[in-house]
Amino acid sequence: MILVLVDHDRGVLDATSVQALTAARALDSDVEVLLVGAAGRDAVAELATYGADTIHLAVHDTLTDYAPLASAKAALELVSSRSPRGIFTTGTPRGNEVLAHIAAILDAPMAAEVLSVTFGDAGVHEVVRNRWGGNLTETARVHNDLLLVAFAPHAIRAENATGAGNVNEFTPNLDAADTAVRVIDRTGGAATGVGLAEARVIVSGGRGVGGPEGFDVIEQLADLLSGAVGCSRVVTSNGWRPHSEQVGQTGTKVAPDLYIACGISGATQHIAGCRTSKTIIAINTDKDAPIMGYAHYAVIGDAQTILPELVAATRAAKE
Amino acid sequence: MNIAVCAKRVPLSGGRWELTADNLDIDTSGASVGFTTSPHEECAAEAAVQLVEQLGGSSTVITLGVADSEEQIRSLLAVGVDRGVIIETDGSEWDPQATASALTEQIKAGSPDGAYDLVLLGTEAADTADFQVGIRMAHALGWPVVTNVKGMTIDGGVARCERAVGSAREVYEVTLPAVITVKDGLNIPRYPSVPGRIKARKKPVDTVIIEKPAARLEKVRLDLAVEEARSAEILGTGVDAVPALVEIFKNIGVL
Ligand SMILES: Cc1cc2nc3c(=O)[nH]c(=O)nc-3n(C[C@H](O)[C@H](O)[C@H](O)COP(=O)(O)OP(=O)(O)OC[C@H]3O[C@@H](n4cnc5c(N)ncnc54)[C@H](O)[C@@H]3O)c2cc1C
Ligand SMILES: Nc1ncnc2c1ncn2[C@@H]1O[C@H](COP(=O)(O)O)[C@@H](O)[C@H]1O
């Protein structure tokens, strides 16, 4: 049996959770799912449409919002009672975190950013996983009977299947320390404009944009194309733009229809965040910049003179 | 307040990665490859320096890596960290379990100023992205841990931490001593000043050597990400290329 841990926020499923469920079903006919918190009940019906037959629902008075250690403790009860051979989850912040707590408590190895899994005999399994933000892959052996795996988000395409969606509610044994770290409040939210992660078009600027003023035309072009503004880390570490706009390995990963990289060299850590964009256009003074190996189209020249003209021409074309 | 920052030396390439002939490592012999510290860990060091400025105490950066990791340690000392410790390796990789237990031993040993109150790490390492060293350390120390932190304030021995969930922030509170793993964007790390660099040369960096345990997450080989080799179609030079750009906007349906 493979146990799949599901990441939900107050009952709303993280879309990548069902990818781990599909991965588990491809390897084992016997898959069970764990939802932690009473709010998880809202996710049951959707999980059933991805083939979940048995869904364990951990309910406890203290589980009022996400609490990583408590989620791990609930999963460990199922490890004892159901003896899975693997625990799969999605590589979201919560998925990775809960799995790492389980791994730490069991003193067992855990593989994150996983792309594919091969169960082996005698407590040695093989995984292929991302490194360096997906610029490299690693083949690794995992030395433990119970295989703990967090899949790289979107490494697997979720497949629908009909599942019974039977709920087995249980009350895990938790003490106060298990919920000492938990969500106690929420702030912000409902950002205005098009969010970076969802935008169909992103106009992104790097060091070559010259300074914070250089982003005026980038904002205008993004507005005209109903898109969002992105940037490189040089831009955020200079304080020209907020970190929420940074694209890359330690920023946001994006996959828009169009990504326009203005004055961005194309370091692998930047590419890690935008390589799956459908079309990439580079505007760069250097025809040999690494970005040219990833872009579909390029204009060689000064972004600071090209962008104002491009804004004017785009506006004219819209009228 | 005594703070430990766990940071790692990692290779940095201006262009694409190349691998060694045995496919076990990144080829760092080329001129275009240097070494650096991950942005997450630079933010952890900046946070430690700010907290010590604010609350007193001292900060220590701890690295498990080759002797040359001193270069990355010195650059963190240059922005204000007080001292460094290198757990020296022969350059072969330690898996996250072995890494966590080696780092934990250093935390248990304490700093010259007394026991540590706070351990700061990155949420994930730049090269291996294991997402676990901080959490394993917290369990070994019996301390609470908050991960993915992008906002942090400490008052009266309690750390208030924020992390992103969608476009909102969720808030956690932990009582120190604690482990906190942070993300790029927590702060804007300062650049080292010239006096900072000069002071850094005199700050203490200790070396310890311990035995490497067998890997339980064992690297077998590395490969470069497979993707179609691309060479951008050049639309033109300067503003003359603007009409071609607008044409593309129309063709792909964004205009
Ligand atoms: C672990 C790690 C994680 C990282 N994560 C990220 C990340 O998430 N996102 C990220 O972006 N970076 C990240 N980085 C940093 C990354 O390695 C690069 O340093 C950064 O992406 C470079 O930003 P840039 O392209 O704006 O600047 P540069 O590399 O300096 O490039 C500037 C480019 O602009 C061009 N240019 C100059 N003037 C003009 C002009 N007038 N018009 C047009 N073009 C011009 C130049 O030819 C050059 O190609 C990370 C680094 C590490 C080590
Ligand atoms: N060799 C190392 N030396 C010092 N710190 C490390 C080392 N490896 C990992 N870390 C710390 O642990 C964090 C998480 O690493 P990981 O769990 O391997 O992704 C990193 O961001 C570092 O802060």
Side-chain angles (χ1 to χ4, degrees), chain A residues 9 20 28 37 57 72 81 84 86-87 129 137 146 157 165 172 188 217 221 239 243 252 258 265 273 288 303 305:
Chain A
D9 187 38
D28 201 319
L57 181 71
S81 63
I87 302 183
R129 56 189 292 261
T137 59
L146 176 64
R157 183 201 294 263
V217 274
L221 185 59
H243 187 267
T252 304
L258 174 62
S265 62
D288 297 319
T305 55

PDB file of all heavy atoms in Angstrom, chain A residues 9 20 28 37 57 72 81 84 86-87 129 137 146 157 165 172 188 217 221 239 243 252 258 265 273 288 303 305:
ATOM      1  N   ASP A   9      -5.714  23.614   1.887  1.00  0.00           N
ATOM      2  CA  ASP A   9      -5.768  24.791   2.731  1.00  0.00           C
ATOM      3  C   ASP A   9      -7.227  25.028   3.078  1.00  0.00           C
ATOM      4  O   ASP A   9      -8.015  25.424   2.231  1.00  0.00           O
ATOM      5  CB  ASP A   9      -5.181  26.006   2.002  1.00  0.00           C
ATOM      6  CG  ASP A   9      -5.079  27.211   2.926  1.00  0.00           C
ATOM      7  OD1 ASP A   9      -4.742  27.017   4.112  1.00  0.00           O
ATOM      8  OD2 ASP A   9      -5.358  28.338   2.465  1.00  0.00           O
ATOM      9  N   ALA A  20       0.437  13.462  -7.008  1.00  0.00           N
ATOM     10  CA  ALA A  20       1.061  12.408  -6.200  1.00  0.00           C
ATOM     11  C   ALA A  20       0.148  11.183  -6.125  1.00  0.00           C
ATOM     12  O   ALA A  20       0.614  10.037  -6.112  1.00  0.00           O
ATOM     13  CB  ALA A  20       1.378  12.936  -4.795  1.00  0.00           C
ATOM     14  N   ASP A  28       0.881   1.071  -7.623  1.00  0.00           N
ATOM     15  CA  ASP A  28       0.290   0.155  -6.653  1.00  0.00           C
ATOM     16  C   ASP A  28      -1.229   0.208  -6.800  1.00  0.00           C
ATOM     17  O   ASP A  28      -1.797   1.296  -6.912  1.00  0.00           O
ATOM     18  CB  ASP A  28       0.700   0.604  -5.231  1.00  0.00           C
ATOM     19  CG  ASP A  28       0.593  -0.527  -4.221  1.00  0.00           C
ATOM     20  OD1 ASP A  28      -0.396  -1.296  -4.287  1.00  0.00           O
ATOM     21  OD2 ASP A  28       1.497  -0.631  -3.373  1.00  0.00           O
ATOM     22  N   GLY A  37      -7.358  17.352   9.422  1.00  0.00           N
ATOM     23  CA  GLY A  37      -8.211  18.478   9.801  1.00  0.00           C
ATOM     24  C   GLY A  37      -9.626  18.271   9.286  1.00  0.00           C
ATOM     25  O   GLY A  37      -9.820  17.777   8.164  1.00  0.00           O
ATOM     26  N   LEU A  57      -9.393  10.534   7.406  1.00  0.00           N
ATOM     27  CA  LEU A  57      -9.594  11.940   7.779  1.00  0.00           C
ATOM     28  C   LEU A  57      -9.244  12.088   9.255  1.00  0.00           C
ATOM     29  O   LEU A  57      -9.942  11.544  10.116  1.00  0.00           O
ATOM     30  CB  LEU A  57     -11.044  12.343   7.514  1.00  0.00           C
ATOM     31  CG  LEU A  57     -11.415  13.798   7.819  1.00  0.00           C
ATOM     32  CD1 LEU A  57     -10.795  14.745   6.798  1.00  0.00           C
ATOM     33  CD2 LEU A  57     -12.928  13.971   7.829  1.00  0.00           C
ATOM     34  N   ALA A  72       2.129  15.305  10.637  1.00  0.00           N
ATOM     35  CA  ALA A  72       3.092  14.204  10.576  1.00  0.00           C
ATOM     36  C   ALA A  72       2.712  13.114  11.577  1.00  0.00           C
ATOM     37  O   ALA A  72       2.768  11.910  11.266  1.00  0.00           O
ATOM     38  CB  ALA A  72       4.503  14.718  10.854  1.00  0.00           C
ATOM     39  N   SER A  81      -0.533   1.504  11.794  1.00  0.00           N
ATOM     40  CA  SER A  81      -1.710   0.635  11.659  1.00  0.00           C
ATOM     41  C   SER A  81      -1.866   0.064  10.252  1.00  0.00           C
ATOM     42  O   SER A  81      -2.419  -1.016  10.080  1.00  0.00           O
ATOM     43  CB  SER A  81      -2.976   1.405  12.048  1.00  0.00           C
ATOM     44  OG  SER A  81      -3.166   2.487  11.155  1.00  0.00           O
ATOM     45  N   PRO A  84       2.223   1.091   5.224  1.00  0.00           N
ATOM     46  CA  PRO A  84       2.471   1.380   3.800  1.00  0.00           C
ATOM     47  C   PRO A  84       3.925   1.091   3.439  1.00  0.00           C
ATOM     48  O   PRO A  84       4.783   1.030   4.309  1.00  0.00           O
ATOM     49  CB  PRO A  84       2.197   2.886   3.693  1.00  0.00           C
ATOM     50  CG  PRO A  84       2.442   3.417   5.064  1.00  0.00           C
ATOM     51  CD  PRO A  84       2.048   2.319   6.016  1.00  0.00           C
ATOM     52  N   GLY A  86       5.238   3.000   0.983  1.00  0.00           N
ATOM     53  CA  GLY A  86       5.702   4.316   0.579  1.00  0.00           C
ATOM     54  C   GLY A  86       4.759   5.389   1.089  1.00  0.00           C
ATOM     55  O   GLY A  86       3.568   5.127   1.283  1.00  0.00           O
ATOM     56  N   ILE A  87       5.286   6.578   1.340  1.00  0.00           N
ATOM     57  CA  ILE A  87       4.443   7.748   1.586  1.00  0.00           C
ATOM     58  C   ILE A  87       4.795   8.752   0.509  1.00  0.00           C
ATOM     59  O   ILE A  87       5.953   9.151   0.359  1.00  0.00           O
ATOM     60  CB  ILE A  87       4.678   8.354   2.988  1.00  0.00           C
ATOM     61  CG1 ILE A  87       4.419   7.317   4.079  1.00  0.00           C
ATOM     62  CG2 ILE A  87       3.775   9.574   3.181  1.00  0.00           C
ATOM     63  CD1 ILE A  87       4.565   7.863   5.505  1.00  0.00           C
ATOM     64  N   ARG A 129      15.300  12.698  -9.459  1.00  0.00           N
ATOM     65  CA  ARG A 129      14.826  13.943  -8.865  1.00  0.00           C
ATOM     66  C   ARG A 129      15.532  15.153  -9.468  1.00  0.00           C
ATOM     67  O   ARG A 129      16.601  15.041 -10.059  1.00  0.00           O
ATOM     68  CB  ARG A 129      15.023  13.909  -7.339  1.00  0.00           C
ATOM     69  CG  ARG A 129      16.458  13.632  -6.891  1.00  0.00           C
ATOM     70  CD  ARG A 129      16.532  13.406  -5.380  1.00  0.00           C
ATOM     71  NE  ARG A 129      16.236  14.618  -4.661  1.00  0.00           N
ATOM     72  CZ  ARG A 129      17.154  15.448  -4.139  1.00  0.00           C
ATOM     73  NH1 ARG A 129      18.449  15.182  -4.230  1.00  0.00           N
ATOM     74  NH2 ARG A 129      16.798  16.536  -3.518  1.00  0.00           N
ATOM     75  N   THR A 137      19.172  16.658 -13.281  1.00  0.00           N
ATOM     76  CA  THR A 137      18.437  15.594 -12.602  1.00  0.00           C
ATOM     77  C   THR A 137      19.438  14.669 -11.937  1.00  0.00           C
ATOM     78  O   THR A 137      20.571  14.508 -12.415  1.00  0.00           O
ATOM     79  CB  THR A 137      17.554  14.773 -13.553  1.00  0.00           C
ATOM     80  OG1 THR A 137      18.377  14.192 -14.561  1.00  0.00           O
ATOM     81  CG2 THR A 137      16.493  15.628 -14.195  1.00  0.00           C
ATOM     82  N   LEU A 146      10.565   1.803   4.073  1.00  0.00           N
ATOM     83  CA  LEU A 146       9.494   2.756   3.781  1.00  0.00           C
ATOM     84  C   LEU A 146      10.071   3.898   2.932  1.00  0.00           C
ATOM     85  O   LEU A 146      11.014   4.566   3.349  1.00  0.00           O
ATOM     86  CB  LEU A 146       8.928   3.308   5.100  1.00  0.00           C
ATOM     87  CG  LEU A 146       7.863   4.399   4.991  1.00  0.00           C
ATOM     88  CD1 LEU A 146       6.602   3.874   4.318  1.00  0.00           C
ATOM     89  CD2 LEU A 146       7.535   4.967   6.375  1.00  0.00           C
ATOM     90  N   ARG A 157       1.351  14.277 -14.602  1.00  0.00           N
ATOM     91  CA  ARG A 157       0.059  14.814 -15.011  1.00  0.00           C
ATOM     92  C   ARG A 157      -1.041  14.007 -14.297  1.00  0.00           C
ATOM     93  O   ARG A 157      -1.095  12.779 -14.411  1.00  0.00           O
ATOM     94  CB  ARG A 157      -0.094  14.680 -16.528  1.00  0.00           C
ATOM     95  CG  ARG A 157      -1.372  15.284 -17.057  1.00  0.00           C
ATOM     96  CD  ARG A 157      -1.714  14.696 -18.387  1.00  0.00           C
ATOM     97  NE  ARG A 157      -0.723  15.080 -19.398  1.00  0.00           N
ATOM     98  CZ  ARG A 157      -0.908  16.096 -20.233  1.00  0.00           C
ATOM     99  NH1 ARG A 157      -2.018  16.787 -20.193  1.00  0.00           N
ATOM    100  NH2 ARG A 157       0.013  16.383 -21.135  1.00  0.00           N
ATOM    101  N   GLY A 165     -14.150   6.912  -2.597  1.00  0.00           N
ATOM    102  CA  GLY A 165     -14.182   8.060  -1.690  1.00  0.00           C
ATOM    103  C   GLY A 165     -14.713   7.713  -0.315  1.00  0.00           C
ATOM    104  O   GLY A 165     -15.390   8.526   0.323  1.00  0.00           O
ATOM    105  N   PRO A 172      -6.384  11.356  15.880  1.00  0.00           N
ATOM    106  CA  PRO A 172      -4.993  11.032  16.215  1.00  0.00           C
ATOM    107  C   PRO A 172      -4.680  11.434  17.660  1.00  0.00           C
ATOM    108  O   PRO A 172      -5.326  12.313  18.218  1.00  0.00           O
ATOM    109  CB  PRO A 172      -4.182  11.881  15.231  1.00  0.00           C
ATOM    110  CG  PRO A 172      -5.090  12.994  14.835  1.00  0.00           C
ATOM    111  CD  PRO A 172      -6.486  12.474  14.926  1.00  0.00           C
ATOM    112  N   GLY A 188      -2.914  40.023   4.752  1.00  0.00           N
ATOM    113  CA  GLY A 188      -2.805  40.326   3.322  1.00  0.00           C
ATOM    114  C   GLY A 188      -3.789  39.512   2.502  1.00  0.00           C
ATOM    115  O   GLY A 188      -4.848  39.121   2.964  1.00  0.00           O
ATOM    116  N   VAL A 217       8.254  51.635 -18.290  1.00  0.00           N
ATOM    117  CA  VAL A 217       7.809  51.136 -19.608  1.00  0.00           C
ATOM    118  C   VAL A 217       7.462  49.652 -19.530  1.00  0.00           C
ATOM    119  O   VAL A 217       6.583  49.171 -20.244  1.00  0.00           O
ATOM    120  CB  VAL A 217       8.871  51.362 -20.709  1.00  0.00           C
ATOM    121  CG1 VAL A 217       8.728  52.748 -21.298  1.00  0.00           C
ATOM    122  CG2 VAL A 217      10.274  51.069 -20.250  1.00  0.00           C
ATOM    123  N   LEU A 221       3.952  48.126 -20.775  1.00  0.00           N
ATOM    124  CA  LEU A 221       3.815  47.034 -21.742  1.00  0.00           C
ATOM    125  C   LEU A 221       3.022  45.883 -21.117  1.00  0.00           C
ATOM    126  O   LEU A 221       2.137  45.303 -21.767  1.00  0.00           O
ATOM    127  CB  LEU A 221       5.207  46.557 -22.199  1.00  0.00           C
ATOM    128  CG  LEU A 221       5.205  45.504 -23.299  1.00  0.00           C
ATOM    129  CD1 LEU A 221       4.488  46.009 -24.556  1.00  0.00           C
ATOM    130  CD2 LEU A 221       6.637  45.074 -23.659  1.00  0.00           C
ATOM    131  N   GLY A 239      16.869  46.342  -4.711  1.00  0.00           N
ATOM    132  CA  GLY A 239      15.710  47.049  -4.170  1.00  0.00           C
ATOM    133  C   GLY A 239      14.913  47.811  -5.215  1.00  0.00           C
ATOM    134  O   GLY A 239      14.106  48.674  -4.877  1.00  0.00           O
ATOM    135  N   HIS A 243      10.351  41.563  -3.957  1.00  0.00           N
ATOM    136  CA  HIS A 243      10.705  40.163  -4.194  1.00  0.00           C
ATOM    137  C   HIS A 243       9.547  39.355  -4.774  1.00  0.00           C
ATOM    138  O   HIS A 243       9.768  38.357  -5.470  1.00  0.00           O
ATOM    139  CB  HIS A 243      11.205  39.516  -2.897  1.00  0.00           C
ATOM    140  CG  HIS A 243      11.736  38.139  -3.107  1.00  0.00           C
ATOM    141  ND1 HIS A 243      10.951  37.017  -2.960  1.00  0.00           N
ATOM    142  CD2 HIS A 243      12.942  37.705  -3.512  1.00  0.00           C
ATOM    143  CE1 HIS A 243      11.676  35.955  -3.243  1.00  0.00           C
ATOM    144  NE2 HIS A 243      12.890  36.343  -3.584  1.00  0.00           N
ATOM    145  N   THR A 252       9.539  33.119  -7.998  1.00  0.00           N
ATOM    146  CA  THR A 252       8.335  32.402  -8.407  1.00  0.00           C
ATOM    147  C   THR A 252       8.623  31.632  -9.696  1.00  0.00           C
ATOM    148  O   THR A 252       9.374  32.093 -10.539  1.00  0.00           O
ATOM    149  CB  THR A 252       7.199  33.423  -8.648  1.00  0.00           C
ATOM    150  OG1 THR A 252       7.047  34.187  -7.457  1.00  0.00           O
ATOM    151  CG2 THR A 252       5.890  32.748  -8.971  1.00  0.00           C
ATOM    152  N   LEU A 258       3.562  33.938 -22.916  1.00  0.00           N
ATOM    153  CA  LEU A 258       4.642  34.786 -23.435  1.00  0.00           C
ATOM    154  C   LEU A 258       5.466  35.343 -22.274  1.00  0.00           C
ATOM    155  O   LEU A 258       4.917  35.942 -21.334  1.00  0.00           O
ATOM    156  CB  LEU A 258       4.058  35.953 -24.253  1.00  0.00           C
ATOM    157  CG  LEU A 258       5.081  37.001 -24.732  1.00  0.00           C
ATOM    158  CD1 LEU A 258       6.112  36.379 -25.666  1.00  0.00           C
ATOM    159  CD2 LEU A 258       4.371  38.170 -25.426  1.00  0.00           C
ATOM    160  N   SER A 265      20.232  38.257 -18.354  1.00  0.00           N
ATOM    161  CA  SER A 265      21.273  37.457 -19.014  1.00  0.00           C
ATOM    162  C   SER A 265      20.849  36.010 -19.253  1.00  0.00           C
ATOM    163  O   SER A 265      21.325  35.373 -20.186  1.00  0.00           O
ATOM    164  CB  SER A 265      22.559  37.478 -18.186  1.00  0.00           C
ATOM    165  OG  SER A 265      22.344  36.910 -16.912  1.00  0.00           O
ATOM    166  N   GLY A 273      12.999  29.353 -13.349  1.00  0.00           N
ATOM    167  CA  GLY A 273      11.655  29.841 -13.055  1.00  0.00           C
ATOM    168  C   GLY A 273      10.802  30.108 -14.271  1.00  0.00           C
ATOM    169  O   GLY A 273       9.617  30.397 -14.136  1.00  0.00           O
ATOM    170  N   ASP A 288      25.290  37.144 -27.532  1.00  0.00           N
ATOM    171  CA  ASP A 288      25.802  35.881 -27.003  1.00  0.00           C
ATOM    172  C   ASP A 288      25.357  35.605 -25.564  1.00  0.00           C
ATOM    173  O   ASP A 288      25.865  34.674 -24.930  1.00  0.00           O
ATOM    174  CB  ASP A 288      27.335  35.864 -27.052  1.00  0.00           C
ATOM    175  CG  ASP A 288      27.833  35.956 -28.485  1.00  0.00           C
ATOM    176  OD1 ASP A 288      27.214  35.287 -29.344  1.00  0.00           O
ATOM    177  OD2 ASP A 288      28.808  36.693 -28.749  1.00  0.00           O
ATOM    178  N   ALA A 303      17.404  47.816 -24.375  1.00  0.00           N
ATOM    179  CA  ALA A 303      16.016  47.702 -23.909  1.00  0.00           C
ATOM    180  C   ALA A 303      15.445  49.077 -23.567  1.00  0.00           C
ATOM    181  O   ALA A 303      14.264  49.335 -23.767  1.00  0.00           O
ATOM    182  CB  ALA A 303      15.946  46.787 -22.687  1.00  0.00           C
ATOM    183  N   THR A 305      15.834  51.892 -25.010  1.00  0.00           N
ATOM    184  CA  THR A 305      15.302  52.650 -26.153  1.00  0.00           C
ATOM    185  C   THR A 305      14.235  51.852 -26.905  1.00  0.00           C
ATOM    186  O   THR A 305      13.309  52.423 -27.472  1.00  0.00           O
ATOM    187  CB  THR A 305      16.423  53.070 -27.133  1.00  0.00           C
ATOM    188  OG1 THR A 305      17.137  51.904 -27.536  1.00  0.00           O
ATOM    189  CG2 THR A 305      17.382  54.049 -26.502  1.00  0.00           C
TER     190      THR A 305
END
